[in-house]
Amino acid sequence: MHGQPVELQAPPELSEQTANALLSDVLRQERARPVVVDCRSLDDPPVIAVARLLRVIEDGRRAGRDVRLAQVPPGLRRRLAGIDADLLAPADAPKRPRGFAALGAWALDAAEAGRRIVQLIGDTLRVLARPFGQSGVKWDRTIEQMTLIGVRGTPIVVFISFLVGVVLALNGAQQLRNFGASIYIANLVAISMSREMAPLITAIVVAGRSGSAIAAELGTMVVSEEIDAMQTMALSPERFLVAPRILALLCMMPLLTVASNAAGIFGGWLIAVTSLGLPSQGYISQTVQWLYVSDVLSGLVKSVVFALIIGFVGVYRGLNVRGGPAGVGLATTASVVTSILLCIVATAVITAILYAAT
């Protein structure tokens, strides 16, 4: 059974003399009591000071003392990167606020997140407002992102939309046959795909595929301090990293939605003609007659809104990663979940607005 830990204060400057004095203090402690060295005064020590600190720990452990470090500042933590984590004392579990304190903490966190999002959107819009020139959009990076998001994402979007069109036709046939109105399967598939299913399917696929990639890429850059290096060199992350991804999503999402819409309608036509016995010409005529331009445009409007949601959520989660590599995984998961949730909420709101306007 270990006793209560003994806390020792590390000197601000670890010379040979002060390191020996710290070691003497460690060795004077009882073997049954852990020794915790408070390092808050060692903000950014030189390498030789870190070596002396590690020597104190090693000599103390050889003498049978359980020596660990606590209150390690960021500068010292960087110096200790790759060192055995057993050197660090376990951090005290933070006390969770309750009641009104918890509500107030949540409100403050939400206000800070809102401020960061507004600032991020404003900085990005300033870059997009100057699309050309030396301080404008990086078009080479934008085209690269268009390829990753649009070209490489088309097969999965088309395949899933085709299957959704098939499912809509089969489920609609079960009910419409009872009324001798099987031809209205064309209306069901075309209107459902163009208004709701195509933009939503595209948003879910892009959020899971590209939104997560954006959060993971930017989060990894934050953890490896590449973002800090860019800012040190007076390079704008919004210009080089954020704006190309947002612009690529704005360009590719409507195109992917059109491809999804066409694949879904084709799937409904194929199953109606081959399995349900409907005439091909009649199905096509019914689709052309009842599918209005406004239906397609409403889906495209939703796709633009979804592109903004997926882009800014992925960028925000990536640029605000905390906790090292584990934080990158958490940010990626949160990006996908948040994007899909907000897209579903947005499609409900837009549909309600369009319904009230008609």
Side-chain angles (χ1 to χ4, degrees):
M1 179 71 68
H2 293 288
Q4 291 295 324
V6 178
E7 184 172 322
L8 300 177
Q9 186 71 38
E13 295 184 4
L14 268 176
S15 62
E16 188 69 25
Q17 183 178 0
T18 56
N20 290 334
L22 179 61
L23 178 60
S24 299
D25 291 340
V26 170
L27 297 179
R28 279 198 295 267
Q29 308 305 321
E30 300 177 7
R31 294 177 181 267
R33 301 182 66 182
V35 179
V36 177
V37 180
D38 189 334
C39 300
R40 71 183 70 192
S41 60
L42 299 173
D43 188 14
D44 193 11
V47 176
I48 185 64
V50 177
R52 288 168 180 156
L53 181 63
L54 294 177
R55 180 175 60 82
V56 170
I57 297 175
E58 182 180 1
D59 291 347
R61 291 189 171 186
R62 285 179 178 175
R65 273 68 172 181
D66 183 10
V67 187
R68 301 193 183 192
L69 306 180
Q71 305 295 334
V72 180
L76 178 57
R77 190 175 295 274
R78 285 194 297 270
R79 299 286 190 187
L80 295 174
I83 304 297
D84 187 3
D86 187 51
L87 296 179
L88 304 180
D92 296 334
K95 296 181 179 180
R96 299 182 61 182
R98 297 180 180 180
F100 288 106
L103 181 61
W106 177 85
L108 291 175
D109 291 341
E112 177 63 18
R115 184 192 67 79
R116 291 180 180 178
I117 292 174
V118 171
Q119 182 179 359
L120 175 64
I121 294 174
D123 294 340
T124 305
L125 291 179
R126 278 196 293 270
V127 175
L128 294 177
R130 301 189 302 269
F132 304 103
Q134 293 184 350
S135 60
V137 176
K138 296 292 292 182
W139 287 102
D140 54 342
R141 295 173 180 263
T142 302
I143 294 174
E144 179 184 357
Q145 291 297 319
M146 287 181 180
T147 302
L148 295 174
I149 296 171
V151 177
R152 298 186 181 181
T154 300
I156 184 64
V157 170
V158 168
F159 178 69
I160 293 177
S161 301
F162 172 80
L163 294 181
V164 170
V166 170
V167 171
L168 285 175
L170 290 174
N171 285 325
Q174 293 179 347
Q175 300 300 322
L176 294 175
R177 273 179 181 170
N178 298 329
F179 303 97
S182 297
I183 193 62
Y184 289 106
I185 294 173
N187 303 44
L188 172 67
V189 174
I191 296 176
S192 298
M193 288 299 302
S194 60
R195 287 184 181 177
E196 302 293 341
M197 300 304 297
L200 192 57
I201 290 171
T202 304
I204 292 173
V205 173
V206 172
R209 184 180 177 278
S210 301
S212 61
I214 291 173
E217 290 172 3
L218 298 184
T220 303
M221 295 181 71
V222 170
V223 171
S224 60
E225 300 182 356
E226 294 181 51
I227 302 294
D228 294 337
M230 290 182 63
Q231 293 173 339
T232 302
M233 294 185 291
L235 298 177
S236 171
E238 287 77 18
R239 177 174 177 243
F240 285 86
L241 302 175
V242 178
R245 288 165 170 80
I246 299 297
L247 190 57
L249 282 167
L250 286 173
C251 293
M252 290 295 104
M253 280 289 290
L255 298 179
L256 287 173
T257 301
V258 171
S260 173
N261 197 5
I265 293 175
F266 174 75
W269 169 83
L270 185 64
I271 202 68
V273 173
T274 59
S275 299
L276 304 179
L278 295 179
S280 175
Q281 187 61 39
Y283 188 97
I284 295 174
S285 299
Q286 190 76 7
T287 300
V288 173
Q289 180 180 356
W290 290 98
L291 182 62
Y292 299 141
V293 175
S294 60
D295 298 325
V296 179
L297 289 179
S298 65
L300 295 180
V301 169
K302 292 178 182 179
S303 69
V304 173
V305 175
F306 296 163
L308 293 173
I309 290 174
I310 295 170
F312 281 113
V313 168
V315 168
Y316 174 78
R317 292 293 188 181
L319 293 179
N320 291 276
V321 165
R322 297 291 181 270
V328 176
L330 295 176
T332 304
T333 303
S335 170
V336 176
V337 174
T338 306
S339 297
I340 294 176
L341 177 61
L342 291 180
C343 286
I344 294 175
V345 172
T347 192
V349 172
I350 295 174
T351 300
I353 294 174
L354 294 177
Y355 177 79
T358 57

